[in-house]
Amino acid sequence: MGRQIRPLRVHQIASRMLDSGRLKSEPLWYRVVGALPPSTSLVRPQPVQLVDTLSSRSKNARKTSNQFRPQKIVYEEDALRERFFRDHPWELARPRVVVEDQGRDGDVDGRRWDWSTGIKQPGKAVDGESVVQRQLWLITNNPHLTVPETYNIARKEFYSLRLQQDIERRIAVEEARHVGSTFDKAYIDIMFEREQKVLQEWRTKAAQDLALRKHKRNAAYSTTSMDEDLAAAAAASGAAADAAAEEVPGLTVAGAL
């Protein structure tokens, strides 16, 4: 089957039909195809490399199998985010609001959050992403600071805010209890009680199973049935000796035995 080139000549054919009058008006795609004609090459060109170094070009040139594979997009925040959540895995369990009102994440009253003022920003809850953005600002605007130093600065600010929130929460609970408020059990307390109940049931079943196994093991090695057989054998031998003594005069039981 030969190469099909008719689709490449659509604009040329349409131009001839317009000139001859077979088409009364230009199709909607006529000017677009004329400005952006279809490619005549059937081979996909290699995408532009993000890392423009001689070593990377020579290395990727030998790997033709990765020519059509999308490149990996890496941001500077990725490494900072990975380290923070590796050190603080429970921060991922905190609920987060992912709904955006206008699709402009990071805007507050038409302006960006100013991370130069600190980790706490108006209209944004303090979370792991706040630490990442604060550390990124420190790295960008303080070249004399190393990455671990900027991480420690942002982390200490995060710890101080978390401690402040915890103190405010405890004071609010104490004030509410002082005026007569009552609180139900926390979710973690309820789950702890359920866990203890399941463990207690398991202990009871385990103790019963252990007692049953111990009873079976003792019954397997018990000598009760052997003693009964020996007693029956002794009684039978005694009766036979008495009968022999009656048949043979002068024979005693002791002599028979």
Side-chain angles (χ1 to χ4, degrees), residues 79-89 92 151:
L80 307 180
R81 193 176 293 111
E82 180 182 1
R83 179 176 181 180
F84 175 81
F85 287 108
R86 184 176 65 247
D87 297 340
H88 309 82
L92 295 173
Y151 177 68

Side-chain angles (χ1 to χ4, degrees), residues 14-237:
S15 301
R16 292 178 179 177
M17 294 177 68
L18 287 171
D19 295 340
S20 62
R22 296 180 63 183
L23 288 177
K24 302 302 181 181
S25 61
E26 296 180 355
L28 297 177
W29 48 264
Y30 180 77
R31 297 183 181 273
V32 178
V33 176
L36 301 172
S39 176
T40 58
S41 177
L42 301 180
V43 180
R44 181 184 299 178
Q46 188 174 2
V48 179
Q49 300 297 320
L50 299 178
V51 182
D52 190 9
T53 59
L54 180 60
S55 59
S56 62
R57 287 199 302 267
S58 60
K59 184 177 180 180
N60 294 332
R62 292 191 295 267
K63 295 183 178 180
T64 57
S65 59
N66 297 331
Q67 180 177 358
F68 306 110
R69 181 177 299 176
Q71 300 183 54
K72 185 177 181 181
I73 301 176
V74 180
Y75 295 94
E76 187 177 1
E77 299 93 329
D78 295 342
L80 307 180
R81 193 176 293 111
E82 180 182 1
R83 179 176 181 180
F84 175 81
F85 287 108
R86 184 176 65 247
D87 297 340
H88 309 82
W90 283 104
E91 285 297 322
L92 295 173
R94 292 182 178 271
R96 295 184 58 185
V97 178
V98 296
V99 179
E100 299 179 1
D101 296 334
Q102 300 178 355
R104 297 184 302 174
D105 188 17
D107 289 358
V108 178
D109 297 333
R111 60 180 177 83
R112 283 284 185 180
W113 288 320
D114 187 8
W115 296 106
S116 61
T117 59
I119 197 174
K120 187 176 182 180
Q121 299 295 323
K124 185 181 187 307
V126 178
D127 53 7
E129 194 63 26
S130 302
V131 180
V132 173
Q133 297 300 327
R134 173 62 174 166
Q135 184 183 1
L136 182 63
W137 185 91
L138 292 172
I139 294 175
T140 305
N141 297 274
N142 297 275
H144 62 281
L145 295 177
T146 61
V147 175
E149 291 176 351
T150 57
Y151 177 68
N152 290 332
I153 294 174
R155 184 169 52 88
K156 290 179 180 179
E157 295 179 3
F158 176 74
Y159 291 163
S160 62
L161 287 176
R162 279 282 185 260
L163 180 60
Q164 180 181 354
Q165 293 175 356
D166 188 56
I167 294 175
E168 293 176 354
R169 191 182 303 109
R170 292 182 181 180
I171 293 176
V173 172
E174 292 178 359
E175 291 177 349
R177 288 178 176 174
H178 180 72
V179 296
S181 300
T182 57
F183 297 92
D184 295 333
K185 295 181 180 179
Y187 182 75
I188 188 172
D189 296 332
I190 297 175
M191 296 305 298
F192 181 76
E193 291 180 357
R194 291 182 179 179
E195 181 180 359
Q196 292 298 323
K197 183 179 179 181
V198 173
L199 290 176
Q200 186 61 33
E201 293 178 354
W202 177 83
R203 291 191 186 98
T204 303
K205 293 180 181 180
Q208 295 176 357
D209 185 67
L210 181 62
L212 181 60
R213 292 183 180 182
K214 186 176 181 181
H215 177 71
K216 291 181 179 180
R217 184 173 61 252
N218 294 337
Y221 293 97
S222 177
T223 58
T224 303
S225 58
M226 185 179 297
D227 294 338
E228 293 178 356
D229 294 341
L230 291 176
S237 61

